[in-house]
Amino acid sequence: MRIGVAGIGKMGAAIAARLIEVGHQVAVWNRTPGKAKAVAGARLAASPFELTQRADVIISSLTDAAALDAVYKGPEGLLSSSVAGKLFIDMSTVLPATEVALAEAVRAKGGAFVECPVGGSTGPARQGKLIGLVGGDANDVARAKPVIEQLCRRFEHAGPVGSGAVLKFAVNLPLMVYWQALGEALALTRRLPVAPERLMDLLSDTSGAATIAKVRAPGVAAMLKGGDPGPVTFNVDGGIKDMKAMVAEAKSRGVTLPVLEQTLACYEETKRHRSGAAEISTVSAYWADRGKQ
Ligand SMILES: NC(=O)c1ccc[n+]([C@@H]2O[C@H](COP(=O)([O-])OP(=O)(O)OC[C@H]3O[C@@H](n4cnc5c(N)ncnc54)[C@H](OP(=O)(O)O)[C@@H]3O)[C@@H](O)[C@H]2O)c1
């Protein structure tokens, strides 16, 4: 199949590489062209418009609503000509209303649209083991399913467009709280005579841990000793962006999220003292030693 990937960030790069590996003809476009060039085996498109011309299915994985707007609706955007017969799958984490508006814009140009925000990071994306949280009309979803299933180990059709975005918030909310909770647990243990590696190995092996903890435990242990966490797959800024979207969505639904709101403030403090570009588990390391800073 001819597939285009718009947005060759951390996730887009892994998604494109996976699709090439399973035999698709993949074209890529990224605002910063150097990153797109790094995807071995992909054809480079000079603009989002050209990407649409070269593909039947176009996947986007972009930071936020502003990025989606620029890439879909800009002068040389994905939708700058008729897209009749083409299927768009957006895998970004954004507000449900953003996905609904995007779906309307795609349909107005004659295309089909499915949202598929994902659970899992770059490793699962590269291995086709993401969790796909799908929203869309049944026919469009059926069309998207074979491609999504090559990227995802689990496929959940949540309902119409916007439903996948809500499920994605439900997946991410406890995870955002987890990194903060881990930091607080570590703060309690800092005077114990247990090596950081052993402590993280223990904590990540218990029912109090998030699934990702095992993968990130060595990086957190390294940070507790003043070292580097290793490759950044999701950063503090990404967490803050997602939590702000969750708070906004909750407000529009008349729901309060007291723990998440406090967690957001804790991440913002981490960003001020460390960096928004830092690996997300930096939140745990920062709060573990906050008393000492
Ligand atoms: N990383 C994860 O573990 C993970 C997991 C699940 C879901 N997600 C979601 O997946 C999406 C992508 O995440 P990521 O980690 O791959 O982020 P990333 O590495 O920061 O990449 C973001 C992408 O968006 C592009 N972009 C941002 N603003 C733009 C604009 N105004 N115009 C055009 N392009 C723009 C960037 O282009 P440039 O390269 O030019 O900056 C880049 O291609 C986000 O919505 C994120 O929340 C991430």
Side-chain angles (χ1 to χ4, degrees):
M1 193 181 288
R2 296 188 316 153
I3 302 181
V5 182
I8 303 299
K10 294 181 278 301
M11 289 301 277
I15 287 165
R18 166 72 183 168
L19 292 169
I20 291 165
E21 189 178 81
V22 297
H24 294 290
Q25 192 182 316
V26 174
V28 295
W29 175 83
N30 195 55
R31 177 180 61 174
T32 309
K35 292 188 198 168
K37 280 186 198 142
V39 182
R43 293 178 176 201
L44 286 183
S47 65
F49 167 77
E50 194 183 311
L51 191 73
T52 306
Q53 305 308 304
R54 288 190 178 197
D56 304 305
V57 174
I58 298 95
I59 294 176
S60 48
S61 179
L62 295 158
T63 308
D64 54 17
L68 287 168
D69 235 44
V71 175
Y72 275 76
K73 299 175 192 168
E76 284 193 284
L78 294 171
L79 301 179
S80 53
S81 65
S82 163
V83 294
K86 313 235 180 218
L87 170 67
F88 292 79
I89 304 173
D90 181 44
M91 297 192 142
S92 317
T93 304
V94 289
L95 284 167
T98 301
E99 298 288 17
V100 170
L102 198 53
E104 279 165 13
V106 171
R107 284 187 204 121
K109 290 278 183 173
F113 181 88
V114 165
E115 63 167 342
C116 181
V118 292
S121 192
T122 53
R126 189 63 190 82
Q127 295 156 6
K129 291 185 178 166
L130 293 166
I131 295 180
L133 306 162
V134 183
D137 294 348
N139 286 344
D140 300 336
V141 169
R143 224 176 123 195
K145 195 172 182 190
V147 176
I148 292 174
E149 283 188 332
Q150 289 181 315
L151 295 169
C152 299
R153 69 174 171 82
R154 183 161 180 159
F155 181 100
E156 288 293 333
H157 183 196
V161 172
S163 315
V166 177
L167 266 195
K168 170 64 185 175
F169 289 164
V171 167
N172 256 21
L173 190 157
L175 181 56
M176 296 300 101
V177 173
Y178 172 72
W179 292 121
Q180 175 61 26
L182 174 63
E184 294 179 21
L186 290 171
L188 279 178
T189 63
R190 281 312 252 162
R191 289 190 198 157
L192 293 182
V194 183
E197 293 88 347
R198 194 172 176 89
L199 184 61
M200 280 309 301
D201 182 58
L202 170 75
L203 293 179
S204 62
D205 194 26
T206 66
S207 52
T211 317
I212 190 70
K214 269 204 163 41
V215 178
R216 279 285 149 202
V220 175
M223 283 189 278
L224 292 175
K225 295 195 298 182
D228 190 273
V232 178
T233 55
F234 192 59
N235 62 30
V236 174
D237 274 340
I240 290 173
K241 175 205 65 139
D242 286 1
M243 284 188 279
K244 283 185 171 167
M246 289 173 210
V247 169
E249 186 62 19
K251 279 203 176 107
S252 78
R253 289 170 185 258
V255 173
T256 50
L257 307 176
V259 172
L260 190 79
E261 284 182 19
Q262 191 60 39
T263 304
L264 172 56
C266 294
Y267 274 56
E268 283 173 331
E269 179 177 327
T270 306
K271 176 177 171 158
R272 283 196 299 278
H273 289 268
R274 300 287 172 91
S275 159
E279 153 59 33
I280 194 145
S281 54
T282 300
V283 171
S284 312
Y286 168 76
W287 282 85
D289 284 329
R290 180 178 179 249
K292 295 186 198 162
Q293 340 232 341

